[in-house]
Amino acid sequence: MKPTQPIKTSNFHFNIGDHVIIIALAAFWIFLICIRPSTFFQLSTYATIAKEASLYAICGIGMTFAIISGAFDLSVASQIALSACVFTTIVSKISPDNPGLGIFISCVVVIILGLLMGLVNGLLIARMRIPAFITTLAMQNVYRGLAQLVSNSPVPIATLGKEYQVFTSGTGPAIRLGVISPNFELVYIKGLAFTKILRLPLFFYIMIALAVIGTIILRKTRLGRNVLAVGNSKAAARIAGINIPQTQTITYVLVGLFTAVTALLFISFQGSSNYGVPQGTEFTVISAVVLGGTALVGGKGSILNTVIAALFITTIPLALTVLGIASDYHGIINGAILVFAFSINTINAYINDAMVKYRARKEKKF
Amino acid sequence: MKKFFAILLAALMIFSLAACKTDDGKKEGLTFGWSVYDLANPFFIPMDEGVKAKCAELGITLLPTHDEKGDATEMVTGATALIEQGIDALIISPKEPSSLSSIVALAEEKGIPVIVVDIGTGGCKVDAFIQSDMRNGGQQAGDYFLNIVGDYEITSKNVAIIKVETSATEAQVRGEGFKDKVVPAGYTVVEEQHGDSSKDKAYGIMLDYIAKYGTDLAAVFCENDEMALGAAAAIDEKGMTGKILVFGYDGNNDAVAACKAGSMHGTAAQDPKGMGAYGVELAYKLCNGETLPATEYVNGDGNKFYKFAMYMIGKDGERV
């Protein structure tokens, strides 16, 4: 055979087997459409699902990196709580003549704070060699405690002044497009949490954009490849010359960054800050990542999967409510669905195995 | 592999089509949504019953009760889900009033009324706010305490208060009502900590108070029954039942039983069932285009405030 042309290989691989969750979600939604078309055959329901799921999904992007590297971060819920309390404390201290400035500074501070929290987590885990479980569990309490110190009681954004309401509930002035003037007037959008573009929530588009960025970081940058390598085999990564502590630290900084963005959206969504809220979000986020097919042992993963899994997890409670199942049973059914969904991967593997054996036997190879 | 999944998907779709029904759940008449603080808290169970009974009476379809389970985020997601299902009115007893703004804004967008029952309105403008006359309830407890303290050999002039969580903004005046009556009578309020409506937390706080004051405490007034039961348990454990009088607030069944048993000495009773039913009534009026009944009260956020009368249940578990 004469090699007349170089073999062209594509860098873009999409194997549906790696993305079973997409099929699961499609099947789930189709099932719901048929059972209750009045709710599930309208776009606004999916808009609501997408809006809520985006909080878990964006945090999940960062968490995907952490889990791919073989660890996880239990402190994200507390990080969001601390960020929310810091946010409301700052906006309530900046003069009322400058609401735009207050929001702008708060956003910047929250991002920086998120990076710092991620850095602290990362350094403790990578340099001090404290296991991820212990570190993030302990920091969960620390950040929650700090949040309580910063703001001892719930602060509703709405009462800080009607300009702040535009950041959350949409009862303020509508879109005011403008440039940053010497008086620091900013663009702010009517009800960030309620803004819709083409009938889908703004949060959804932010989620997609960040998912794309996350995927690019994971697949196209050296950092991403290092994270995958470290998760796959630390020993091999070390031999390959990857600076493992640095990779681990940066992974946690990424978690902190995405969690900070989630915190901003969360403040907009919730409309108030309270040191006790949110609670338990870290488990939903980790569930979304694992449900999407990223194994806890690390080494491989997909951000697309995490996003789809977040949509799946968010649909479950809504589906249960709409189907009229009493609140008492929600917990049991939710858990059962998740267990079944987690098993899809293993079931998939068993089926794969069986198919291979069947085909081999058919060709009389064995 | 691809073929397998294609077959699986097709099978699921066929199954789904077979399960298709034309019944799509949209019924004639009004449909209301009801979201409640926490059904595990005995105060809200009669409220839930009241809402359901009134809806049944008025022929209103009520969607399954949304239980916020005492979680602020659950409140926002669940109430939003209720509104998205196309209800005609929302009745809500919010865990976190300060997070109501997004719910209220969405309701406004859909043009449906929002009636808030108890807890607070968190700075939002809603159609009506129903709550017991909190201060008066505290005052009634204070009055009753002054009436019966002579029956016990108590010399202390100190009293303590265990408060509900700070997010229950309107309920803070319960303790104030109690003070309104006992302070002029010569008593000093020595402690006022937040028990956050938790039995366990109040238990711990009461042990604290006992450690600090011993028998130099005449009574403890707890801003709700859950906490009163916790405080009573602490007092019982220290063997001081009857030396420190315990007053609660809500009139829950378990508190009444405790009064009969002697571990509590009174509770200011609310009528959660009545309040829930009244919430449905007001929403029904609004949906039918009627105006709400007049009320001279306006709450801290400028909403129409309908105060519900309270009554006192005494140490034998009977209405005073």
Side-chain angles (χ1 to χ4, degrees), chain B residues 157-180:
Chain B
K157 284 294 185 182
N158 292 336
V159 291
I161 299 181
I162 301 185
K163 298 184 74 66
V164 288
E165 63 268 26
T166 44
S167 60
T169 43
E170 309 285 342
Q172 304 300 312
V173 299
R174 297 179 187 179
E176 299 302 309
F178 187 75
K179 282 190 212 168
D180 283 348

Side-chain angles (χ1 to χ4, degrees), chain B residues 102-115:
Chain B
S102 30
I103 300 173
V104 169
L106 184 61
E108 217 172 296
E109 201 181 290
K110 303 267 178 178
I112 62 175
V114 176
I115 310 282

Side-chain angles (χ1 to χ4, degrees), chain B:
Chain B
M1 195 25 52
K2 276 194 205 162
K3 224 187 351 174
F4 168 74
F5 279 111
I7 295 175
L8 180 64
L9 189 55
L12 276 163
M13 287 169 107
I14 293 172
F15 162 73
S16 306
L17 281 170
C20 248
K21 296 179 232 171
T22 44
D23 166 41
D24 63 355
K26 197 74 179 154
K27 300 186 171 66
E28 293 303 318
L30 295 172
T31 309
F32 282 3
W34 156 234
S35 173
V36 64
Y37 184 116
D38 190 349
L39 284 175
N41 184 325
F43 178 70
F44 294 99
I45 297 177
M47 195 187 282
D48 187 46
E49 286 168 14
V51 168
K52 289 186 169 137
K54 199 67 178 177
C55 282
E57 187 190 309
L58 293 174
I60 301 168
T61 316
L62 183 67
L63 294 182
T65 305
H66 168 243
D67 184 358
E68 295 161 23
K69 304 194 189 86
D71 183 61
T73 320
E74 174 63 38
M75 176 181 101
V76 177
T77 51
T80 313
L82 280 177
I83 297 176
E84 291 282 357
Q85 286 182 69
I87 51 178
D88 297 297
L90 175 70
I91 302 143
I92 180 167
S93 190
K95 161 67 175 87
E96 183 103 349
S98 39
S99 295
L100 276 175
S101 55
S102 30
I103 300 173
V104 169
L106 184 61
E108 217 172 296
E109 201 181 290
K110 303 267 178 178
I112 62 175
V114 176
I115 310 282
V116 176
V117 180
D118 205 18
I119 319 295
T121 49
C124 304
K125 287 275 178 292
V126 296
D127 292 275
F129 176 58
I130 302 169
Q131 199 176 49
S132 298
D133 197 344
M134 299 279 193
R135 193 159 198 138
N136 180 256
Q139 289 170 345
Q140 289 190 31
D143 268 337
Y144 185 66
F145 160 67
L146 293 171
N147 273 347
I148 66 168
V149 68
D151 301 340
Y152 298 83
E153 288 155 9
I154 293 177
T155 50
S156 166
K157 284 294 185 182
N158 292 336
V159 291
I161 299 181
I162 301 185
K163 298 184 74 66
V164 288
E165 63 268 26
T166 44
S167 60
T169 43
E170 309 285 342
Q172 304 300 312
V173 299
R174 297 179 187 179
E176 299 302 309
F178 187 75
K179 282 190 212 168
D180 283 348
K181 293 293 174 173
V182 302
V183 169
Y187 286 86
T188 325
V189 178
V190 290
E191 289 278 355
E192 261 189 273
Q193 287 190 37
H194 287 273
D196 296 344
S197 299
S198 152
K199 203 188 263 191
D200 293 331
K201 214 163 176 185
Y203 176 81
I205 293 175
M206 193 65 221
L207 287 178
D208 242 1
Y209 288 175
I210 295 176
K212 267 197 193 145
Y213 298 96
T215 44
D216 193 19
L217 202 55
V220 61
F221 172 66
C222 300
E223 284 180 350
N224 72 18
D225 277 338
E226 282 290 287
M227 300 195 297
L229 290 167
I235 291 176
D236 191 45
E237 184 177 302
K238 292 287 177 186
M240 297 173 78
T241 313
K243 301 216 173 64
I244 304 181
L245 304 182
V246 182
F247 297 96
Y249 190 108
D250 277 347
N252 290 345
N253 286 338
D254 26 18
V256 171
C259 288
K260 290 191 176 139
S263 52
M264 274 178 65
H265 303 91
T267 170
Q270 303 195 56
D271 183 11
K273 192 165 184 179
M275 292 199 285
Y278 196 57
V280 175
E281 227 178 275
L282 291 180
Y284 185 69
K285 284 195 161 67
L286 285 174
C287 287
N288 285 337
E290 299 168 32
T291 48
L292 292 175
T295 169
E296 70 218 49
Y297 297 110
V298 153
N299 83 340
D301 303 319
N303 294 307
K304 281 180 125 105
F305 190 168
Y306 294 91
K307 290 200 183 188
F308 247 65
M310 298 191 56
Y311 57 95
M312 191 71 199
I313 292 182
K315 58 182 162 54
D316 34 15
E318 302 297 327
R319 187 165 173 158
V320 165

Side-chain angles (χ1 to χ4, degrees), chain A residues 31-65:
Chain A
F31 174 70
L32 288 173
I33 290 175
C34 284
I35 291 291
R36 190 62 70 89
S38 66
T39 312
F40 289 97
F41 204 54
Q42 49 182 19
L43 193 59
S44 67
T45 308
Y46 296 102
T48 310
I49 294 175
K51 187 170 80 177
E52 284 168 31
S54 64
L55 296 174
Y56 300 118
I58 294 175
C59 191
I61 297 174
M63 189 69 75
T64 309
F65 279 95

Side-chain angles (χ1 to χ4, degrees), chain A residues 178-258:
Chain A
V179 294
I180 300 181
S181 77
N183 292 330
F184 293 102
E185 266 193 47
L186 274 192
V187 172
Y188 39 81
I189 301 173
K190 175 177 180 174
L192 210 57
F194 287 110
T195 305
K196 291 197 171 138
I197 302 174
L198 298 176
R199 296 179 63 196
L200 284 174
L202 179 65
F203 281 17
F204 172 73
Y205 296 103
I206 297 178
M207 170 175 80
I208 300 291
L210 289 175
V212 169
I213 293 175
T215 311
I216 292 176
I217 296 178
L218 184 64
R219 305 275 178 223
K220 297 287 183 193
T221 66
R222 174 168 296 164
L223 169 67
R225 283 195 288 273
N226 285 354
V227 172
L228 283 160
V230 169
N232 214 323
S233 162
K234 269 212 184 119
R238 193 173 299 124
I239 293 173
I242 295 175
N243 187 343
I244 295 183
Q246 188 184 71
T247 309
Q248 286 176 319
T249 312
I250 300 183
T251 306
Y252 279 93
V253 171
L254 269 178
V255 173
L257 177 63
F258 281 101

Side-chain angles (χ1 to χ4, degrees), chain A residues 79-356:
Chain A
Q79 289 187 28
I80 296 177
L82 178 56
S83 298
C85 290
V86 166
F87 186 94
T88 50
T89 308
I90 294 181
V91 298
S92 60
K93 301 277 195 273
I94 301 282
S95 92
D97 315 317
N98 254 325
L101 179 63
I103 293 182
F104 179 69
I105 290 185
S106 302
C107 289
V108 169
V109 169
V110 163
I111 302 275
I112 296 178
L113 184 64
L115 291 168
L116 273 173
M117 289 193 279
L119 186 62
V120 167
N121 281 350
L123 290 175
L124 285 172
I125 293 171
R127 303 283 175 186
M128 300 293 283
R129 312 273 188 89
I130 308 174
F133 182 76
I134 310 278
T135 310
T136 56
L137 193 62
M139 293 317 286
Q140 187 186 56
N141 288 320
V142 170
Y143 295 140
R144 186 81 60 184
L146 284 172
Q148 190 170 358
L149 278 181
V150 164
S151 166
N152 209 343
S153 53
V155 183
I157 308 258
T159 59
L160 294 175
K162 63 174 182 350
E163 286 83 3
Y164 293 106
Q165 285 183 16
V166 304
F167 190 70
T168 61
S169 62
T171 56
I175 296 185
R176 263 202 272 163
L177 288 171
V179 294
I180 300 181
S181 77
N183 292 330
F184 293 102
E185 266 193 47
L186 274 192
V187 172
Y188 39 81
I189 301 173
K190 175 177 180 174
L192 210 57
F194 287 110
T195 305
K196 291 197 171 138
I197 302 174
L198 298 176
R199 296 179 63 196
L200 284 174
L202 179 65
F203 281 17
F204 172 73
Y205 296 103
I206 297 178
M207 170 175 80
I208 300 291
L210 289 175
V212 169
I213 293 175
T215 311
I216 292 176
I217 296 178
L218 184 64
R219 305 275 178 223
K220 297 287 183 193
T221 66
R222 174 168 296 164
L223 169 67
R225 283 195 288 273
N226 285 354
V227 172
L228 283 160
V230 169
N232 214 323
S233 162
K234 269 212 184 119
R238 193 173 299 124
I239 293 173
I242 295 175
N243 187 343
I244 295 183
Q246 188 184 71
T247 309
Q248 286 176 319
T249 312
I250 300 183
T251 306
Y252 279 93
V253 171
L254 269 178
V255 173
L257 177 63
F258 281 101
T259 308
V261 175
T262 310
L264 290 174
L265 296 186
F266 176 80
I267 295 163
S268 176
F269 175 84
Q270 185 78 4
S272 74
S273 80
N274 183 344
Y275 70 83
V277 173
Q279 286 269 15
T281 312
E282 65 272 13
F283 290 111
T284 316
V285 172
I286 294 178
S287 297
V289 178
V290 176
L291 184 61
T294 307
L296 280 173
V297 297
K300 66 182 193 64
S302 156
I303 288 171
L304 168 68
N305 281 356
T306 304
V307 170
I308 303 284
L311 287 168
F312 189 97
I313 290 182
T314 316
T315 312
I316 298 177
L318 181 63
L320 292 179
T321 314
V322 164
L323 291 175
I325 298 178
S327 290
D328 307 335
Y329 300 103
H330 281 202
I332 302 175
I333 299 183
N334 205 341
I337 294 181
L338 284 179
V339 167
F340 172 69
F342 284 139
S343 331
I344 289 184
N345 274 323
T346 318
I347 296 176
N348 192 11
Y350 278 131
I351 296 176
N352 248 339
D353 218 32
M355 296 280 283
V356 166

